[in-house]
Structure formats: structure tokens, C-alpha cells
Amino acid sequence: EQRQSYLWKRIPQAIKSANPELTALWAVGQRIWQRDFPGIYTAIAAFQWSENILPVMESLREGTRQRAYSLVAQAYTSIAAQDFAAFVGYSVEEAVKGVVSQGWLADPNTRMVMPQKPDPPPVSLVPNEQQLARLTDYVAFLEN
């Protein structure tokens, strides 16, 4: 984070003042470095991006959202719907509707969302002969 701060300080004030989009980009970057998911969505939405930058910001927002879904699915057995919605950058209704359609559970009484755990990655089983050959090669390497 310190390198980013130095970069910002090195940009002449005249360039920063003349380019409000640069300042807005900086605000988005700061939220990313702070891992402030709700802040990332807010910073992206707070500026009218140029047509060159808009696709990048839309892609960044969607990539952030997908990362948030993945992190929640891996880390939580249940999460308050309001917290989840802020984490993925949607209203509570949109966030809950979106994940229920993907097999997650939502309890309207407790206002909790229960993520569906992602499937664990497949374990690659190496045949015994192949394991033995690797071990032999490794031991031979260590002996030389």
C-alpha cells in the first residue's frame, strides 16, 4: 500500500486537478487495497466514467462481486442478509434472490443467508507405480 501512496504523491497536483477521473480511479484503488468490498462498489458508482474506462470499471465490479460470493461461500455457514448484500454490492432483495436461485438457502425469519459450500477440488490420485517412480527419482537426486 505504501508504494501506491508514493505513486499518488509523485503525480503533479496540476494533473490530478485536471483529471477528475484519475482522482476517482485513485479512490477505487484505495478501496481495493483496503479490501473494502462495499467501498469498492460505492467508489465505482460515485463517478460518471468515460467510455474508455467504463468497461474496465464494470468488469472490476463484477470480478469483485464474484470474488465476494466465493469468499462468503468458503468462509461462512450463515451470514446476515444485510451484511451479505453489502459485501456483494446489491440490495438485500437482489442479493438474496440471486443466491437462492443458485441453491443457497435464505431464512426470511432470521434474515440469514446460508451459502452452499463449493465442491472441493478433485483429488488427483497418482497411481502407486508413478508415486514410487517419483520417490525413486527424488531419492536418486538427493544422493547425487
Side-chain angles (χ1 to χ4, degrees):
E1 189 174 327
Q2 207 167 20
R3 288 182 284 155
Q4 295 88 350
S5 180
Y6 288 136
L7 171 64
W8 184 248
K9 289 176 183 175
R10 289 182 54 193
I11 298 172
Q13 188 58 45
I15 293 176
K16 292 180 203 175
S17 300
N19 296 293
E21 193 167 53
L22 183 61
T23 304
L25 280 169
W26 178 247
V28 172
Q30 287 176 308
R31 300 309 171 281
I32 292 169
W33 297 313
Q34 295 164 352
R35 293 180 181 88
D36 175 6
F37 283 79
I40 294 169
Y41 307 120
T42 303
I44 291 172
F47 191 79
Q48 185 71 39
W49 302 100
S50 67
E51 67 178 61
N52 291 338
I53 301 295
L54 182 60
V56 175
M57 289 296 118
E58 289 172 345
S59 177
L60 177 64
R61 181 180 55 231
E62 286 309 307
T64 301
R65 188 168 281 144
Q66 292 306 314
R67 177 153 167 69
Y69 279 118
S70 176
L71 289 172
V72 168
Q74 291 172 13
Y76 288 87
T77 54
S78 65
I79 182 172
Q82 190 167 351
D83 294 340
F84 174 67
F87 205 50
V88 296
Y90 281 133
S91 69
V92 172
E93 292 75 24
E94 288 174 311
V96 171
K97 183 179 173 187
V99 292
V100 166
S101 71
Q102 295 184 16
W104 292 25
L105 301 175
D107 186 337
N109 297 325
T110 61
R111 301 198 41 91
M112 298 294 282
V113 174
M114 285 68 73
Q116 180 179 359
K117 292 292 178 198
D119 293 330
V123 178
S124 66
L125 297 175
V126 180
N128 286 340
E129 296 83 24
Q130 196 173 357
Q131 283 179 324
L132 186 59
R134 281 187 190 168
L135 185 58
T136 304
D137 290 344
Y138 183 67
V139 171
F141 171 77
L142 290 176
E143 288 177 345
N144 292 329

